[in-house]
Amino acid sequence: MDQDSHCTAERELLEAVSRITTFSTASPSDEEQNQPKAEISCQVRKENPEKDDLQDSNTSLSPNSSMTTKELQEYWRNEKRQCRQVKLLFEIPSTRIVEHHLSKYVMYKIIILQTGSFDSNKSVIERRYSDFEKLHRNLLEEFSEEMEDVTFPKKTLTGNFTEEIINERKLAFKDYLRLLYSMKYIRRSKKFIDFLTRPELQEAYGCLRGGQYTKALEILLEVIGLQERLTRGNPVSIVPTLCAIVVCHKDLENPASAFEYGEKALSCLCVHTSHRYYTPLLETMITLAYELGKDFLSFQEKLEEWKAKKDPVRVFTLKELAVREYVQ
C-alpha cells in the first residue's frame, strides 16, 4: 500500500471512531430526547434497584460545589459503590449457654456476610433470645403492616436449653433476620440497625470514656464495617463512629491512622457542613495535618469559611463529642 492510500485509510478509521464515540456519548435518540426526565429517572432506578437505598437528591452535589479534586474523587467512588447491588447474608452457625449468677440463657452467634463477592470482612455478633424478642416488639410498633405475616419463635415453658430447641431457634432466627432485611423500610430503620450494632457501640464508647482506647478501637473497627453496609446511601450516620476512631488513634499517638479516618469522616460531611461534628473534626484535622507535615491550609480555609457564615457558638472538641455518645 502506497503512502497516500495508507494515510487515507488511517483518516477514515479515525473518522469512524469519532462518529461512534460522538454517537454513544453525546447523541441521544429522538425517543430519549422526547422522553420526560422523570421517566428517565424511573428507568435508571429499574436498572439499578439498589439505587432506592440512596439518599434523596438533597445529598447530591451541585456543579458549583467547592469541594477539592480529592474530595470529589472520594465522593464519586462512594457513589459508585452505593450503586452496586449489595445484599447481606445472615448465618447462625453456633450457640453457647451462659450461666450468670441466677440467670441462664443462650447466646446465638450471628455472622453477617456481604453477598455477590468474596467477603473477607465478615461481621460477628452475639444476641440472646430476649434481644430478638425486644427487636420484634419494637418493629411491631412501627411497622405493624409490614410485620403482619412475620412469625417469631415462641418461648417454651420447658426445654429451652435442649439441643433440639436450640437448633430449631437457630434456623428460625436466621430466616427471621433474612426476612427483615428483605423489607426495605425495615432494613433501613434505626431499630433494626441498632439491634445489630448498638450493644457493641455502647461497649466501645464505655471503653473510650474509661480511657481504654486500645479496646475501644478494636471494637469500633469491627463495627464500622457492618455500619457501612447497613447504612449505604446514608454515610452521615457513620460519622460519629469514624470520629470516635479518630479520637482513639489520636490518643494512642497514631496520627497517620487518625488522619486517614478523619478524611473519611469529612468526605461523608462534604454536603452536610452544619453537622455537629463538622467543625470539631476540621479543628482536629488541622492539628493532625500540621503534625504530619501535610497541607492544613485547606482545612483552615474551610473552618474560617464556616465560622464566617455561622454565629459564634460554643463548640465541643471532637473528644468531648465522642464521650457523649451512647451515654445512658
Side-chain angles (χ1 to χ4, degrees), residues 249-284:
H249 273 307
K250 189 172 183 295
D251 280 21
L252 289 170
E253 299 182 357
N254 299 325
S257 297
F259 188 84
E260 176 188 348
Y261 280 93
E263 284 190 311
K264 289 182 180 180
L266 273 182
S267 70
C268 295
L269 295 177
C270 58
V271 291
H272 298 277
T273 56
S274 61
H275 195 280
R276 69 187 190 281
Y277 272 90
Y278 183 70
T279 302
L281 180 57
L282 279 177
E283 291 174 340
T284 300

PDB file of all heavy atoms in Angstrom, residues 249-284:
ATOM      1  N   HIS A 249      -7.271   6.735  67.801  1.00  0.00           N
ATOM      2  CA  HIS A 249      -5.955   6.730  67.148  1.00  0.00           C
ATOM      3  C   HIS A 249      -5.111   7.918  67.613  1.00  0.00           C
ATOM      4  O   HIS A 249      -3.896   7.780  67.843  1.00  0.00           O
ATOM      5  CB  HIS A 249      -6.128   6.781  65.623  1.00  0.00           C
ATOM      6  CG  HIS A 249      -6.300   5.445  64.981  1.00  0.00           C
ATOM      7  ND1 HIS A 249      -5.420   4.398  65.169  1.00  0.00           N
ATOM      8  CD2 HIS A 249      -7.263   4.984  64.136  1.00  0.00           C
ATOM      9  CE1 HIS A 249      -5.818   3.345  64.464  1.00  0.00           C
ATOM     10  NE2 HIS A 249      -6.939   3.666  63.840  1.00  0.00           N
ATOM     11  N   LYS A 250      -5.746   9.070  67.753  1.00  0.00           N
ATOM     12  CA  LYS A 250      -5.009  10.270  68.170  1.00  0.00           C
ATOM     13  C   LYS A 250      -4.461  10.106  69.585  1.00  0.00           C
ATOM     14  O   LYS A 250      -3.295  10.430  69.852  1.00  0.00           O
ATOM     15  CB  LYS A 250      -5.937  11.489  68.089  1.00  0.00           C
ATOM     16  CG  LYS A 250      -5.248  12.834  68.279  1.00  0.00           C
ATOM     17  CD  LYS A 250      -6.211  13.968  67.980  1.00  0.00           C
ATOM     18  CE  LYS A 250      -5.514  15.325  68.104  1.00  0.00           C
ATOM     19  NZ  LYS A 250      -5.076  15.621  69.470  1.00  0.00           N
ATOM     20  N   ASP A 251      -5.277   9.581  70.502  1.00  0.00           N
ATOM     21  CA  ASP A 251      -4.824   9.402  71.875  1.00  0.00           C
ATOM     22  C   ASP A 251      -3.829   8.255  72.009  1.00  0.00           C
ATOM     23  O   ASP A 251      -3.070   8.200  72.991  1.00  0.00           O
ATOM     24  CB  ASP A 251      -6.024   9.181  72.795  1.00  0.00           C
ATOM     25  CG  ASP A 251      -6.723  10.480  73.156  1.00  0.00           C
ATOM     26  OD1 ASP A 251      -6.542  11.462  72.414  1.00  0.00           O
ATOM     27  OD2 ASP A 251      -7.433  10.520  74.171  1.00  0.00           O
ATOM     28  N   LEU A 252      -3.838   7.341  71.052  1.00  0.00           N
ATOM     29  CA  LEU A 252      -2.849   6.258  71.035  1.00  0.00           C
ATOM     30  C   LEU A 252      -1.601   6.653  70.244  1.00  0.00           C
ATOM     31  O   LEU A 252      -0.732   5.825  69.984  1.00  0.00           O
ATOM     32  CB  LEU A 252      -3.465   4.991  70.426  1.00  0.00           C
ATOM     33  CG  LEU A 252      -4.520   4.290  71.284  1.00  0.00           C
ATOM     34  CD1 LEU A 252      -5.243   3.208  70.488  1.00  0.00           C
ATOM     35  CD2 LEU A 252      -3.885   3.680  72.532  1.00  0.00           C
ATOM     36  N   GLU A 253      -1.535   7.946  69.867  1.00  0.00           N
ATOM     37  CA  GLU A 253      -0.391   8.512  69.139  1.00  0.00           C
ATOM     38  C   GLU A 253      -0.171   7.820  67.801  1.00  0.00           C
ATOM     39  O   GLU A 253       0.953   7.480  67.424  1.00  0.00           O
ATOM     40  CB  GLU A 253       0.876   8.459  70.006  1.00  0.00           C
ATOM     41  CG  GLU A 253       0.740   9.277  71.292  1.00  0.00           C
ATOM     42  CD  GLU A 253       2.010   9.269  72.136  1.00  0.00           C
ATOM     43  OE1 GLU A 253       2.976   8.593  71.747  1.00  0.00           O
ATOM     44  OE2 GLU A 253       2.023   9.957  73.163  1.00  0.00           O
ATOM     45  N   ASN A 254      -1.269   7.622  67.078  1.00  0.00           N
ATOM     46  CA  ASN A 254      -1.222   7.105  65.709  1.00  0.00           C
ATOM     47  C   ASN A 254      -1.802   8.188  64.778  1.00  0.00           C
ATOM     48  O   ASN A 254      -2.896   8.023  64.241  1.00  0.00           O
ATOM     49  CB  ASN A 254      -2.043   5.820  65.561  1.00  0.00           C
ATOM     50  CG  ASN A 254      -1.539   4.702  66.444  1.00  0.00           C
ATOM     51  OD1 ASN A 254      -0.335   4.578  66.671  1.00  0.00           O
ATOM     52  ND2 ASN A 254      -2.452   3.887  66.940  1.00  0.00           N
ATOM     53  N   PRO A 255      -1.091   9.307  64.608  1.00  0.00           N
ATOM     54  CA  PRO A 255      -1.667  10.439  63.852  1.00  0.00           C
ATOM     55  C   PRO A 255      -1.996  10.101  62.405  1.00  0.00           C
ATOM     56  O   PRO A 255      -2.973  10.617  61.859  1.00  0.00           O
ATOM     57  CB  PRO A 255      -0.590  11.521  63.950  1.00  0.00           C
ATOM     58  CG  PRO A 255       0.683  10.786  64.250  1.00  0.00           C
ATOM     59  CD  PRO A 255       0.288   9.601  65.078  1.00  0.00           C
ATOM     60  N   ALA A 256      -1.196   9.255  61.769  1.00  0.00           N
ATOM     61  CA  ALA A 256      -1.445   8.922  60.361  1.00  0.00           C
ATOM     62  C   ALA A 256      -2.779   8.193  60.205  1.00  0.00           C
ATOM     63  O   ALA A 256      -3.571   8.494  59.306  1.00  0.00           O
ATOM     64  CB  ALA A 256      -0.308   8.065  59.810  1.00  0.00           C
ATOM     65  N   SER A 257      -3.037   7.230  61.100  1.00  0.00           N
ATOM     66  CA  SER A 257      -4.304   6.498  61.050  1.00  0.00           C
ATOM     67  C   SER A 257      -5.469   7.409  61.417  1.00  0.00           C
ATOM     68  O   SER A 257      -6.552   7.319  60.834  1.00  0.00           O
ATOM     69  CB  SER A 257      -4.253   5.293  61.992  1.00  0.00           C
ATOM     70  OG  SER A 257      -3.268   4.374  61.587  1.00  0.00           O
ATOM     71  N   ALA A 258      -5.241   8.280  62.404  1.00  0.00           N
ATOM     72  CA  ALA A 258      -6.285   9.230  62.793  1.00  0.00           C
ATOM     73  C   ALA A 258      -6.639  10.132  61.613  1.00  0.00           C
ATOM     74  O   ALA A 258      -7.827  10.400  61.348  1.00  0.00           O
ATOM     75  CB  ALA A 258      -5.822  10.071  63.976  1.00  0.00           C
ATOM     76  N   PHE A 259      -5.633  10.597  60.891  1.00  0.00           N
ATOM     77  CA  PHE A 259      -5.848  11.470  59.735  1.00  0.00           C
ATOM     78  C   PHE A 259      -6.620  10.737  58.641  1.00  0.00           C
ATOM     79  O   PHE A 259      -7.530  11.301  58.015  1.00  0.00           O
ATOM     80  CB  PHE A 259      -4.505  11.954  59.192  1.00  0.00           C
ATOM     81  CG  PHE A 259      -4.610  13.004  58.133  1.00  0.00           C
ATOM     82  CD1 PHE A 259      -4.745  14.344  58.474  1.00  0.00           C
ATOM     83  CD2 PHE A 259      -4.585  12.665  56.787  1.00  0.00           C
ATOM     84  CE1 PHE A 259      -4.850  15.324  57.494  1.00  0.00           C
ATOM     85  CE2 PHE A 259      -4.693  13.640  55.811  1.00  0.00           C
ATOM     86  CZ  PHE A 259      -4.820  14.969  56.157  1.00  0.00           C
ATOM     87  N   GLU A 260      -6.294   9.475  58.425  1.00  0.00           N
ATOM     88  CA  GLU A 260      -6.961   8.671  57.388  1.00  0.00           C
ATOM     89  C   GLU A 260      -8.467   8.568  57.661  1.00  0.00           C
ATOM     90  O   GLU A 260      -9.295   8.779  56.768  1.00  0.00           O
ATOM     91  CB  GLU A 260      -6.342   7.270  57.340  1.00  0.00           C
ATOM     92  CG  GLU A 260      -7.019   6.327  56.358  1.00  0.00           C
ATOM     93  CD  GLU A 260      -6.510   4.899  56.478  1.00  0.00           C
ATOM     94  OE1 GLU A 260      -5.472   4.682  57.163  1.00  0.00           O
ATOM     95  OE2 GLU A 260      -7.159   3.995  55.915  1.00  0.00           O
ATOM     96  N   TYR A 261      -8.831   8.239  58.910  1.00  0.00           N
ATOM     97  CA  TYR A 261     -10.249   8.118  59.246  1.00  0.00           C
ATOM     98  C   TYR A 261     -10.934   9.486  59.314  1.00  0.00           C
ATOM     99  O   TYR A 261     -12.134   9.594  59.051  1.00  0.00           O
ATOM    100  CB  TYR A 261     -10.417   7.345  60.555  1.00  0.00           C
ATOM    101  CG  TYR A 261     -10.307   5.852  60.354  1.00  0.00           C
ATOM    102  CD1 TYR A 261      -9.086   5.202  60.503  1.00  0.00           C
ATOM    103  CD2 TYR A 261     -11.417   5.107  59.978  1.00  0.00           C
ATOM    104  CE1 TYR A 261      -8.975   3.837  60.294  1.00  0.00           C
ATOM    105  CE2 TYR A 261     -11.322   3.737  59.772  1.00  0.00           C
ATOM    106  CZ  TYR A 261     -10.097   3.104  59.929  1.00  0.00           C
ATOM    107  OH  TYR A 261      -9.987   1.752  59.708  1.00  0.00           O
ATOM    108  N   GLY A 262     -10.154  10.513  59.644  1.00  0.00           N
ATOM    109  CA  GLY A 262     -10.707  11.864  59.625  1.00  0.00           C
ATOM    110  C   GLY A 262     -11.100  12.286  58.218  1.00  0.00           C
ATOM    111  O   GLY A 262     -12.138  12.930  58.013  1.00  0.00           O
ATOM    112  N   GLU A 263     -10.277  11.917  57.241  1.00  0.00           N
ATOM    113  CA  GLU A 263     -10.611  12.218  55.845  1.00  0.00           C
ATOM    114  C   GLU A 263     -11.884  11.496  55.420  1.00  0.00           C
ATOM    115  O   GLU A 263     -12.719  12.056  54.693  1.00  0.00           O
ATOM    116  CB  GLU A 263      -9.454  11.813  54.933  1.00  0.00           C
ATOM    117  CG  GLU A 263      -8.270  12.763  54.971  1.00  0.00           C
ATOM    118  CD  GLU A 263      -7.259  12.458  53.890  1.00  0.00           C
ATOM    119  OE1 GLU A 263      -6.884  11.275  53.751  1.00  0.00           O
ATOM    120  OE2 GLU A 263      -6.832  13.393  53.184  1.00  0.00           O
ATOM    121  N   LYS A 264     -12.048  10.251  55.864  1.00  0.00           N
ATOM    122  CA  LYS A 264     -13.268   9.508  55.541  1.00  0.00           C
ATOM    123  C   LYS A 264     -14.496  10.198  56.132  1.00  0.00           C
ATOM    124  O   LYS A 264     -15.535  10.315  55.477  1.00  0.00           O
ATOM    125  CB  LYS A 264     -13.183   8.076  56.087  1.00  0.00           C
ATOM    126  CG  LYS A 264     -12.204   7.179  55.353  1.00  0.00           C
ATOM    127  CD  LYS A 264     -12.231   5.769  55.945  1.00  0.00           C
ATOM    128  CE  LYS A 264     -11.246   4.851  55.228  1.00  0.00           C
ATOM    129  NZ  LYS A 264     -11.270   3.482  55.812  1.00  0.00           N
ATOM    130  N   ALA A 265     -14.358  10.639  57.370  1.00  0.00           N
ATOM    131  CA  ALA A 265     -15.482  11.321  58.023  1.00  0.00           C
ATOM    132  C   ALA A 265     -15.822  12.624  57.305  1.00  0.00           C
ATOM    133  O   ALA A 265     -16.999  12.940  57.102  1.00  0.00           O
ATOM    134  CB  ALA A 265     -15.145  11.586  59.490  1.00  0.00           C
ATOM    135  N   LEU A 266     -14.795  13.385  56.919  1.00  0.00           N
ATOM    136  CA  LEU A 266     -15.042  14.650  56.211  1.00  0.00           C
ATOM    137  C   LEU A 266     -15.718  14.417  54.867  1.00  0.00           C
ATOM    138  O   LEU A 266     -16.572  15.203  54.445  1.00  0.00           O
ATOM    139  CB  LEU A 266     -13.731  15.407  56.005  1.00  0.00           C
ATOM    140  CG  LEU A 266     -13.279  16.337  57.124  1.00  0.00           C
ATOM    141  CD1 LEU A 266     -11.985  17.035  56.736  1.00  0.00           C
ATOM    142  CD2 LEU A 266     -14.356  17.375  57.447  1.00  0.00           C
ATOM    143  N   SER A 267     -15.342  13.332  54.173  1.00  0.00           N
ATOM    144  CA  SER A 267     -15.974  13.049  52.884  1.00  0.00           C
ATOM    145  C   SER A 267     -17.457  12.749  53.051  1.00  0.00           C
ATOM    146  O   SER A 267     -18.260  13.021  52.159  1.00  0.00           O
ATOM    147  CB  SER A 267     -15.273  11.871  52.190  1.00  0.00           C
ATOM    148  OG  SER A 267     -15.528  10.645  52.865  1.00  0.00           O
ATOM    149  N   CYS A 268     -17.834  12.195  54.218  1.00  0.00           N
ATOM    150  CA  CYS A 268     -19.253  11.940  54.499  1.00  0.00           C
ATOM    151  C   CYS A 268     -20.014  13.231  54.775  1.00  0.00           C
ATOM    152  O   CYS A 268     -21.238  13.285  54.622  1.00  0.00           O
ATOM    153  CB  CYS A 268     -19.402  11.004  55.707  1.00  0.00           C
ATOM    154  SG  CYS A 268     -18.756   9.337  55.464  1.00  0.00           S
ATOM    155  N   LEU A 269     -19.277  14.267  55.196  1.00  0.00           N
ATOM    156  CA  LEU A 269     -19.911  15.529  55.583  1.00  0.00           C
ATOM    157  C   LEU A 269     -19.754  16.620  54.530  1.00  0.00           C
ATOM    158  O   LEU A 269     -20.057  17.780  54.797  1.00  0.00           O
ATOM    159  CB  LEU A 269     -19.309  16.024  56.903  1.00  0.00           C
ATOM    160  CG  LEU A 269     -19.541  15.160  58.139  1.00  0.00           C
ATOM    161  CD1 LEU A 269     -18.811  15.747  59.344  1.00  0.00           C
ATOM    162  CD2 LEU A 269     -21.030  15.033  58.437  1.00  0.00           C
ATOM    163  N   CYS A 270     -19.307  16.235  53.325  1.00  0.00           N
ATOM    164  CA  CYS A 270     -18.995  17.252  52.322  1.00  0.00           C
ATOM    165  C   CYS A 270     -20.186  18.129  51.973  1.00  0.00           C
ATOM    166  O   CYS A 270     -20.010  19.286  51.590  1.00  0.00           O
ATOM    167  CB  CYS A 270     -18.431  16.590  51.062  1.00  0.00           C
ATOM    168  SG  CYS A 270     -19.537  15.369  50.312  1.00  0.00           S
ATOM    169  N   VAL A 271     -21.398  17.609  52.084  1.00  0.00           N
ATOM    170  CA  VAL A 271     -22.584  18.436  51.815  1.00  0.00           C
ATOM    171  C   VAL A 271     -23.433  18.598  53.072  1.00  0.00           C
ATOM    172  O   VAL A 271     -24.610  18.915  53.006  1.00  0.00           O
ATOM    173  CB  VAL A 271     -23.430  17.829  50.665  1.00  0.00           C
ATOM    174  CG1 VAL A 271     -22.698  17.948  49.355  1.00  0.00           C
ATOM    175  CG2 VAL A 271     -23.801  16.384  50.952  1.00  0.00           C
ATOM    176  N   HIS A 272     -22.819  18.354  54.218  1.00  0.00           N
ATOM    177  CA  HIS A 272     -23.526  18.465  55.498  1.00  0.00           C
ATOM    178  C   HIS A 272     -22.677  19.279  56.476  1.00  0.00           C
ATOM    179  O   HIS A 272     -22.361  18.819  57.578  1.00  0.00           O
ATOM    180  CB  HIS A 272     -23.819  17.081  56.087  1.00  0.00           C
ATOM    181  CG  HIS A 272     -24.705  16.241  55.227  1.00  0.00           C
ATOM    182  ND1 HIS A 272     -26.075  16.344  55.232  1.00  0.00           N
ATOM    183  CD2 HIS A 272     -24.413  15.290  54.308  1.00  0.00           C
ATOM    184  CE1 HIS A 272     -26.592  15.482  54.376  1.00  0.00           C
ATOM    185  NE2 HIS A 272     -25.606  14.839  53.791  1.00  0.00           N
ATOM    186  N   THR A 273     -22.320  20.485  56.073  1.00  0.00           N
ATOM    187  CA  THR A 273     -21.402  21.287  56.884  1.00  0.00           C
ATOM    188  C   THR A 273     -22.041  21.840  58.157  1.00  0.00           C
ATOM    189  O   THR A 273     -21.340  22.410  58.990  1.00  0.00           O
ATOM    190  CB  THR A 273     -20.844  22.457  56.058  1.00  0.00           C
ATOM    191  OG1 THR A 273     -21.940  23.231  55.550  1.00  0.00           O
ATOM    192  CG2 THR A 273     -20.024  21.938  54.877  1.00  0.00           C
ATOM    193  N   SER A 274     -23.344  21.671  58.310  1.00  0.00           N
ATOM    194  CA  SER A 274     -23.992  22.104  59.552  1.00  0.00           C
ATOM    195  C   SER A 274     -24.019  21.002  60.609  1.00  0.00           C
ATOM    196  O   SER A 274     -24.513  21.211  61.720  1.00  0.00           O
ATOM    197  CB  SER A 274     -25.428  22.566  59.265  1.00  0.00           C
ATOM    198  OG  SER A 274     -26.200  21.506  58.719  1.00  0.00           O
ATOM    199  N   HIS A 275     -23.492  19.850  60.273  1.00  0.00           N
ATOM    200  CA  HIS A 275     -23.462  18.721  61.206  1.00  0.00           C
ATOM    201  C   HIS A 275     -22.631  19.069  62.438  1.00  0.00           C
ATOM    202  O   HIS A 275     -21.609  19.758  62.344  1.00  0.00           O
ATOM    203  CB  HIS A 275     -22.875  17.494  60.499  1.00  0.00           C
ATOM    204  CG  HIS A 275     -23.113  16.201  61.201  1.00  0.00           C
ATOM    205  ND1 HIS A 275     -22.356  15.788  62.275  1.00  0.00           N
ATOM    206  CD2 HIS A 275     -24.039  15.226  60.996  1.00  0.00           C
ATOM    207  CE1 HIS A 275     -22.790  14.596  62.687  1.00  0.00           C
ATOM    208  NE2 HIS A 275     -23.810  14.242  61.925  1.00  0.00           N
ATOM    209  N   ARG A 276     -23.045  18.567  63.600  1.00  0.00           N
ATOM    210  CA  ARG A 276     -22.382  18.937  64.858  1.00  0.00           C
ATOM    211  C   ARG A 276     -20.923  18.489  64.910  1.00  0.00           C
ATOM    212  O   ARG A 276     -20.122  19.042  65.671  1.00  0.00           O
ATOM    213  CB  ARG A 276     -23.143  18.338  66.056  1.00  0.00           C
ATOM    214  CG  ARG A 276     -23.070  16.830  66.175  1.00  0.00           C
ATOM    215  CD  ARG A 276     -23.993  16.316  67.273  1.00  0.00           C
ATOM    216  NE  ARG A 276     -23.811  14.917  67.592  1.00  0.00           N
ATOM    217  CZ  ARG A 276     -24.300  13.913  66.871  1.00  0.00           C
ATOM    218  NH1 ARG A 276     -24.999  14.178  65.772  1.00  0.00           N
ATOM    219  NH2 ARG A 276     -24.089  12.658  67.228  1.00  0.00           N
ATOM    220  N   TYR A 277     -20.550  17.490  64.104  1.00  0.00           N
ATOM    221  CA  TYR A 277     -19.173  17.004  64.109  1.00  0.00           C
ATOM    222  C   TYR A 277     -18.268  17.771  63.139  1.00  0.00           C
ATOM    223  O   TYR A 277     -17.051  17.599  63.177  1.00  0.00           O
ATOM    224  CB  TYR A 277     -19.138  15.510  63.754  1.00  0.00           C
ATOM    225  CG  TYR A 277     -19.280  14.591  64.945  1.00  0.00           C
ATOM    226  CD1 TYR A 277     -20.533  14.170  65.375  1.00  0.00           C
ATOM    227  CD2 TYR A 277     -18.166  14.132  65.637  1.00  0.00           C
ATOM    228  CE1 TYR A 277     -20.671  13.325  66.465  1.00  0.00           C
ATOM    229  CE2 TYR A 277     -18.289  13.282  66.723  1.00  0.00           C
ATOM    230  CZ  TYR A 277     -19.545  12.880  67.136  1.00  0.00           C
ATOM    231  OH  TYR A 277     -19.675  12.052  68.219  1.00  0.00           O
ATOM    232  N   TYR A 278     -18.836  18.585  62.271  1.00  0.00           N
ATOM    233  CA  TYR A 278     -18.059  19.174  61.182  1.00  0.00           C
ATOM    234  C   TYR A 278     -16.932  20.075  61.688  1.00  0.00           C
ATOM    235  O   TYR A 278     -15.759  19.891  61.332  1.00  0.00           O
ATOM    236  CB  TYR A 278     -18.991  19.954  60.249  1.00  0.00           C
ATOM    237  CG  TYR A 278     -18.293  20.536  59.040  1.00  0.00           C
ATOM    238  CD1 TYR A 278     -17.815  19.710  58.024  1.00  0.00           C
ATOM    239  CD2 TYR A 278     -18.100  21.918  58.911  1.00  0.00           C
ATOM    240  CE1 TYR A 278     -17.178  20.242  56.908  1.00  0.00           C
ATOM    241  CE2 TYR A 278     -17.471  22.449  57.803  1.00  0.00           C
ATOM    242  CZ  TYR A 278     -17.015  21.607  56.809  1.00  0.00           C
ATOM    243  OH  TYR A 278     -16.372  22.130  55.716  1.00  0.00           O
ATOM    244  N   THR A 279     -17.264  21.060  62.510  1.00  0.00           N
ATOM    245  CA  THR A 279     -16.245  21.999  62.989  1.00  0.00           C
ATOM    246  C   THR A 279     -15.204  21.330  63.888  1.00  0.00           C
ATOM    247  O   THR A 279     -13.997  21.523  63.686  1.00  0.00           O
ATOM    248  CB  THR A 279     -16.914  23.174  63.728  1.00  0.00           C
ATOM    249  OG1 THR A 279     -17.826  23.815  62.838  1.00  0.00           O
ATOM    250  CG2 THR A 279     -15.878  24.175  64.203  1.00  0.00           C
ATOM    251  N   PRO A 280     -15.602  20.535  64.897  1.00  0.00           N
ATOM    252  CA  PRO A 280     -14.588  19.854  65.711  1.00  0.00           C
ATOM    253  C   PRO A 280     -13.683  18.943  64.891  1.00  0.00           C
ATOM    254  O   PRO A 280     -12.491  18.825  65.176  1.00  0.00           O
ATOM    255  CB  PRO A 280     -15.434  19.038  66.704  1.00  0.00           C
ATOM    256  CG  PRO A 280     -16.735  19.748  66.772  1.00  0.00           C
ATOM    257  CD  PRO A 280     -16.968  20.288  65.400  1.00  0.00           C
ATOM    258  N   LEU A 281     -14.260  18.323  63.860  1.00  0.00           N
ATOM    259  CA  LEU A 281     -13.450  17.453  63.001  1.00  0.00           C
ATOM    260  C   LEU A 281     -12.436  18.269  62.212  1.00  0.00           C
ATOM    261  O   LEU A 281     -11.260  17.869  62.097  1.00  0.00           O
ATOM    262  CB  LEU A 281     -14.363  16.672  62.058  1.00  0.00           C
ATOM    263  CG  LEU A 281     -13.674  15.704  61.086  1.00  0.00           C
ATOM    264  CD1 LEU A 281     -12.833  14.674  61.847  1.00  0.00           C
ATOM    265  CD2 LEU A 281     -14.712  14.996  60.216  1.00  0.00           C
ATOM    266  N   LEU A 282     -12.846  19.405  61.674  1.00  0.00           N
ATOM    267  CA  LEU A 282     -11.909  20.275  60.954  1.00  0.00           C
ATOM    268  C   LEU A 282     -10.772  20.735  61.866  1.00  0.00           C
ATOM    269  O   LEU A 282      -9.603  20.738  61.464  1.00  0.00           O
ATOM    270  CB  LEU A 282     -12.642  21.496  60.399  1.00  0.00           C
ATOM    271  CG  LEU A 282     -13.415  21.315  59.085  1.00  0.00           C
ATOM    272  CD1 LEU A 282     -14.136  22.610  58.728  1.00  0.00           C
ATOM    273  CD2 LEU A 282     -12.484  20.892  57.952  1.00  0.00           C
ATOM    274  N   GLU A 283     -11.107  21.109  63.091  1.00  0.00           N
ATOM    275  CA  GLU A 283     -10.072  21.556  64.035  1.00  0.00           C
ATOM    276  C   GLU A 283      -9.076  20.428  64.322  1.00  0.00           C
ATOM    277  O   GLU A 283      -7.860  20.669  64.394  1.00  0.00           O
ATOM    278  CB  GLU A 283     -10.737  22.021  65.325  1.00  0.00           C
ATOM    279  CG  GLU A 283     -11.534  23.306  65.172  1.00  0.00           C
ATOM    280  CD  GLU A 283     -12.308  23.694  66.418  1.00  0.00           C
ATOM    281  OE1 GLU A 283     -12.553  22.803  67.266  1.00  0.00           O
ATOM    282  OE2 GLU A 283     -12.679  24.875  66.545  1.00  0.00           O
ATOM    283  N   THR A 284      -9.591  19.221  64.473  1.00  0.00           N
ATOM    284  CA  THR A 284      -8.709  18.072  64.711  1.00  0.00           C
ATOM    285  C   THR A 284      -7.841  17.785  63.494  1.00  0.00           C
ATOM    286  O   THR A 284      -6.651  17.466  63.621  1.00  0.00           O
ATOM    287  CB  THR A 284      -9.540  16.829  65.068  1.00  0.00           C
ATOM    288  OG1 THR A 284     -10.307  17.101  66.248  1.00  0.00           O
ATOM    289  CG2 THR A 284      -8.654  15.616  65.319  1.00  0.00           C
TER     290      THR A 284
END
